[in-house]
Amino acid sequence: MSPTEKRAVLGLALIFAFRMLGLFLILPVFSVLAGGLEGAKPELIGLAIGAYGFTQALLQIPLGLWSDRIGRKTVIAVGLCLFAAGSVVAASAASIYQVIVGRVLQGSGAIAAAVMALVADLTREEHRTKAMAAIGVSIGLSFGVSMIAGPMLGHWLGLAGLFWTTAGLALLGLVLLAALVPNPIQTRFHRDAEVQPTRFGKVLTDPQLLRLDFGILSLHAILTATFVALPMALRAHLPTFQHSYFYLPAMAAAVVLMVPLVIAAEKRQKMKAVFLLGIALIILAEVGLAHFYEELYGIALSLVVFFTGFNLLEALLPSLISKLAPVDLKGTALGVYSTCQFFGAFLGGALGGVLSGRFGLEAVFWFAAGAACLWLLLALGMTPPRPVKSLLIPVALADPQRAASLAYSLRRLPGVIEVVVVPDERLAYLKVEEKHLDLGRLEALLRRFTEEPETTLAEN
């Protein structure tokens, strides 16, 4: 990457990480700390935990489309201001209802789609994969940090202090946006990173993609519901600040266990088997929590299993979307997928609160186990994905007829599964099987068709 690209990716990754950290910080402690708020009861505590997901799911695609019109940085800045405002409302709250309003306002700062589009604007095609991966890593790190920092900060600063911290993180994001992220020379549409509203039907009628959408909805519903009940179960054994010491080794052990499974899925082409194993681990963990939530060692073992399954599935689901989505609809598929993810967080918080209030903590864990069982049944019908990768190739072709001829010729190459050539964007989108692809023949074909002597291949 060029220095400008590195600076842009660093700035946007930090902005995304700070925002997600602000959302996740309360997850491991809110149900414990919210008891002192006026009107607090389990149903409303659960709703407050998941409320951000409703507005996030509702607004992330519209705000992404809006960024095409008024500018990416403008939408990101507005979103960060809304997030900061929601944090201030929640930090100033005396009642649980005001916290819910604050959380809803936090979620309305839905900048995910605009950030991804800006990443695409500011990076060349051959570096797009690395840039998107940096954003993904920042999200994973923010979740891990929140599990460890949330209980400590909650103990030192209280619930209001946690929300003031999230407001500060949002304002820091504004500073990074101004200081690190350059203005794009040109803002244009990117099929690999943005939604095409006119083609939702293609994505929403694909059984394979719908299974994955249901999967991410279930996974985040399970996560949020679990953390409605889990902090309460831990409080019976440990003071709040010590929850951090409990989560840290559990997450570290889960990462060690997860890595070889990801390698087996991607490198040894065991994707479906490992994916089903991840769901089974979630079921096992939730059943363990339902049976042993009153025993500290039972919680510890169940959490290691849970985090292993959760981290594994969080890594595999986006990879599966990329493999199974039509090559020119990856951005649209990811937009629907992200919407389902945030709606799942809302459902998990709301249902977890209701179940906890009416039937106790055990019912929440059984609900999560049941949701994972349903997901496993649906996932059994998933077609094992082929070991494909996407290529994004700049092609200097403005003539639609030449573009159509190039697409026809590319489809005939061994190892090429899908091809879409878009002359207006001067890009070719390919899905290929690397082991059967002859890069020499591909590059020779491109040189014959394009006006430029060299064509750079870019993985995406």
Side-chain angles (χ1 to χ4, degrees):
M1 290 188 185
S2 69
T4 300
E5 287 174 318
K6 290 178 181 178
R7 192 181 75 190
V9 172
L10 175 63
L12 290 170
L14 288 173
I15 289 168
F16 216 120
F18 288 154
R19 184 181 177 279
M20 297 308 295
L21 181 60
L23 288 172
F24 288 142
L25 268 177
I26 75 160
L27 191 61
V29 291
F30 185 79
S31 59
V32 172
L33 298 180
L37 293 169
E38 179 185 341
K41 54 183 180 179
E43 293 87 348
L44 295 177
I45 289 172
L47 182 59
I49 291 174
Y52 81 92
F54 181 78
T55 42
Q56 179 86 23
L58 193 66
L59 294 175
Q60 69 142 350
I61 289 178
L63 288 180
L65 297 173
W66 194 35
S67 76
D68 291 334
R69 298 191 174 194
I70 69 168
R72 320 288 194 206
K73 291 183 73 172
T74 301
V75 168
I76 294 170
V78 169
L80 290 171
C81 289
L82 287 171
F83 185 81
S87 300
V88 171
V89 169
S92 307
S95 73
I96 189 67
Y97 300 100
Q98 190 176 341
V99 172
I100 292 171
V101 171
R103 291 287 279 173
V104 168
L105 190 54
Q106 280 185 325
S108 68
I111 63 172
V115 168
M116 293 302 184
L118 185 54
V119 169
D121 282 337
L122 293 172
T123 55
R124 288 165 291 169
E125 288 82 4
E126 59 264 34
H127 299 302
R128 189 80 46 79
T129 299
K130 288 181 283 187
M132 296 298 183
I135 301 292
V137 169
S138 75
I139 297 171
L141 288 175
S142 67
F143 176 75
V145 170
S146 70
M147 290 293 103
I148 299 162
M152 290 183 178
L153 290 175
H155 174 72
W156 294 332
L157 305 176
L159 186 59
L162 274 178
F163 282 118
W164 284 118
T165 301
T166 65
L169 289 170
L171 296 178
L172 181 56
L174 284 170
V175 173
L176 291 171
L177 183 66
L180 279 183
V181 181
N183 294 313
I185 297 172
Q186 180 183 22
T187 296
R188 64 180 180 84
F189 181 78
H190 307 273
R191 293 168 188 262
D192 59 320
E194 295 184 70
V195 166
Q196 301 175 62
T198 58
R199 300 187 69 188
F200 274 132
K202 179 76 171 176
V203 170
L204 294 174
T205 55
D206 187 317
Q208 296 284 69
L209 293 178
L210 287 176
R211 281 191 182 93
L212 299 178
D213 294 335
F214 180 82
I216 194 63
L217 184 149
S218 300
L219 184 62
H220 279 260
I222 290 166
L223 172 71
T224 313
T226 298
F227 277 91
V228 170
L230 183 61
M232 300 295 290
L234 276 177
R235 189 180 62 170
H237 305 281
L238 297 170
T240 303
F241 75 94
Q242 289 187 5
H243 292 192
S244 298
Y245 310 144
F246 189 81
Y247 290 131
L248 178 58
M251 293 198 71
V255 169
V256 171
L257 294 170
M258 179 266 292
V259 169
L261 293 174
V262 172
I263 293 172
E266 295 283 2
K267 301 297 183 183
R268 299 179 184 174
Q269 299 177 22
K270 302 291 185 182
M271 179 67 77
K272 182 176 179 179
V274 174
F275 184 71
L276 295 176
L277 174 62
I279 304 174
L281 290 174
I282 296 290
I283 296 171
L284 180 62
E286 295 294 343
V287 171
L289 287 170
H291 277 292
F292 303 113
Y293 72 94
E294 293 180 332
E295 300 177 21
L296 189 59
Y297 290 109
I299 296 175
L301 182 57
S302 298
L303 263 190
V304 171
V305 176
F306 176 83
F307 283 134
T308 302
F310 178 81
N311 292 335
L312 178 63
L313 293 165
E314 279 281 287
L316 295 184
L317 278 164
S319 176
L320 284 166
I321 287 281
S322 181
K323 286 176 169 59
L324 296 174
V327 68
D328 61 330
L329 286 176
K330 181 179 173 183
T332 305
L334 286 171
V336 174
Y337 168 89
S338 297
T339 298
C340 291
Q341 172 183 329
F342 291 114
F343 190 63
F346 166 69
L347 286 178
L351 293 174
V354 170
L355 291 169
S356 174
R358 296 188 180 182
F359 304 106
L361 303 182
E362 183 180 351
V364 179
F365 300 128
W366 281 120
F367 157 74
C373 285
L374 177 58
W375 179 15
L376 181 62
L377 289 175
L378 289 174
L380 288 171
M382 180 179 77
T383 302
R386 298 169 74 174
V388 297
K389 287 190 175 181
S390 297
L391 298 178
L392 189 59
I393 306 176
V395 290
L397 289 176
D399 181 11
Q401 290 186 341
R402 289 188 70 198
S405 180
L406 172 61
Y408 174 78
S409 299
L410 286 170
R411 288 190 194 99
R412 300 186 63 182
L413 289 178
V416 175
I417 309 301
E418 287 185 61
V419 178
V420 174
V421 180
V422 186
D424 290 344
E425 300 175 18
R426 299 198 168 202
L427 287 173
Y429 298 83
L430 278 71
K431 189 178 289 185
V432 303
E433 281 190 283
E434 280 191 311
K435 65 180 180 179
H436 299 306
L437 182 66
D438 186 334
L439 285 176
R441 288 182 62 184
L442 175 58
E443 291 175 345
L445 177 63
L446 291 168
R447 280 194 294 271
R448 291 207 314 269
F449 271 88
T450 57
E451 299 167 355
E452 298 176 1
E454 296 293 335
T455 302
T456 301
L457 302 187
E459 282 190 17
N460 190 41

